[in-house]
Amino acid sequence: MSSRQWVISSVRYADPPGNPWFSWQYLRDNSDTVLSALVEHVTLTTQAVAFAAVVGLPLAVLAYWFRPLTAPILALSGVLYTIPSLALLAFVAPLVGTTRPASVLIALVLYALLLIVRNTLAGLNQLPAEVLDAAQGMGYGRFARLFRVDLPLAIPAILTGLRLATVSTVALVTVGSLIGYGGLGDLILGGFRNNFYKAEILVGTVLCVALGLLLDLLLAGAGRLLTPWTRGARA
């Protein structure tokens, strides 16, 4: 490459003035917008994981109780998980409405199902046989054993599924920006559309990553509180 071509290339790709990656001015002028996007992101994430848990936990229990249902349940949730996010959103949005957050919420719930079902079922299947025999010998029925023995001992695996589902949902919420309900993804996409506005892109990205880490740490802390016997086992 000649010196002239190098100069032209450098000018072409040089950063435009007044467009830094971080700007206090942007935060001051758009604090309400940033806060609104963050609240929407948290709301969509918590709702999606909660709905997925309400549906996924009973499905895992059914697969645990009735072995012939295990393969169909895992296969169905696995197929839904493999659908590309944009394709799933494009399929759901016209049915529910492209101007409603329910379109994004349904897609997020479908994606979180596999992680919750698979990890919950794995935890239930790994329960010690001697513990189950002791519970049966004490006269526990199916539901009594489920709530007093099976689910409490499977809490570590259940929380692992919830953590994975939560972190992946935080990332997938940004896809909803294509229809205007992407939380922090709206900032990221808006920055790209607004002449590559770096400050807007960085704020949305950093907050999205920080939110995922924070929620994961909160669930990890909740797991330690709910399973004190695991701390003794590690020690």
Side-chain angles (χ1 to χ4, degrees), residues 22-118:
F22 182 77
S23 171
W24 284 113
Q25 184 66 38
Y26 169 79
L27 289 175
R28 285 193 297 267
D29 295 343
N30 300 275
S31 57
D32 292 340
T33 301
V34 173
L35 180 60
S36 177
L38 178 60
V39 170
E40 182 181 67
H41 207 111
V42 173
T43 302
L44 286 172
T45 299
T46 53
Q47 288 179 343
V49 175
F51 284 133
V54 168
V55 176
L57 290 177
L59 286 177
V61 172
L62 284 176
Y64 173 61
W65 280 349
F66 307 103
R67 298 299 177 177
L69 294 178
T70 300
I73 289 175
L74 291 178
L76 177 60
S77 56
V79 168
L80 294 173
Y81 190 80
T82 58
I83 300 176
S85 55
L86 291 179
L88 183 59
L89 185 61
F91 176 77
V92 173
L95 299 177
V96 181
T98 57
T99 59
R100 299 176 60 188
S103 302
V104 180
L105 188 60
I106 291 174
L108 295 175
V109 170
L110 294 178
Y111 278 120
L113 271 180
L114 176 64
L115 299 173
I116 294 176
V117 171
R118 184 173 59 188

Side-chain angles (χ1 to χ4, degrees), residues 52-219:
V54 168
V55 176
L57 290 177
L59 286 177
V61 172
L62 284 176
Y64 173 61
W65 280 349
F66 307 103
R67 298 299 177 177
L69 294 178
T70 300
I73 289 175
L74 291 178
L76 177 60
S77 56
V79 168
L80 294 173
Y81 190 80
T82 58
I83 300 176
S85 55
L86 291 179
L88 183 59
L89 185 61
F91 176 77
V92 173
L95 299 177
V96 181
T98 57
T99 59
R100 299 176 60 188
S103 302
V104 180
L105 188 60
I106 291 174
L108 295 175
V109 170
L110 294 178
Y111 278 120
L113 271 180
L114 176 64
L115 299 173
I116 294 176
V117 171
R118 184 173 59 188
N119 283 276
T120 301
L121 183 58
L124 292 172
N125 286 331
Q126 292 172 4
L127 296 179
E130 58 272 17
V131 174
L132 302 181
D133 291 339
Q136 186 175 1
M138 295 174 63
Y140 283 147
R142 171 171 285 182
F143 285 97
R145 197 188 80 178
L146 175 68
F147 290 106
R148 295 185 181 183
V149 179
D150 296 356
L151 288 179
L153 290 178
I155 284 178
I158 294 173
L159 283 173
T160 297
L162 289 175
R163 290 175 64 184
L164 291 172
T166 300
V167 173
S168 65
T169 301
V170 169
L172 287 170
V173 168
T174 57
V175 179
S177 61
L178 295 176
I179 62 171
Y181 292 100
L184 296 169
D186 293 339
L187 299 180
I188 299 173
L189 184 61
F192 279 105
R193 289 176 173 174
N194 190 20
N195 296 322
F196 197 70
Y197 192 4
K198 293 180 179 179
E200 188 174 13
I201 296 172
L202 183 66
V203 168
T205 303
V206 170
L207 287 179
C208 188
V209 173
L211 178 61
L213 291 174
L214 176 61
L215 293 179
D216 185 59
L217 289 174
L218 289 176
L219 288 173

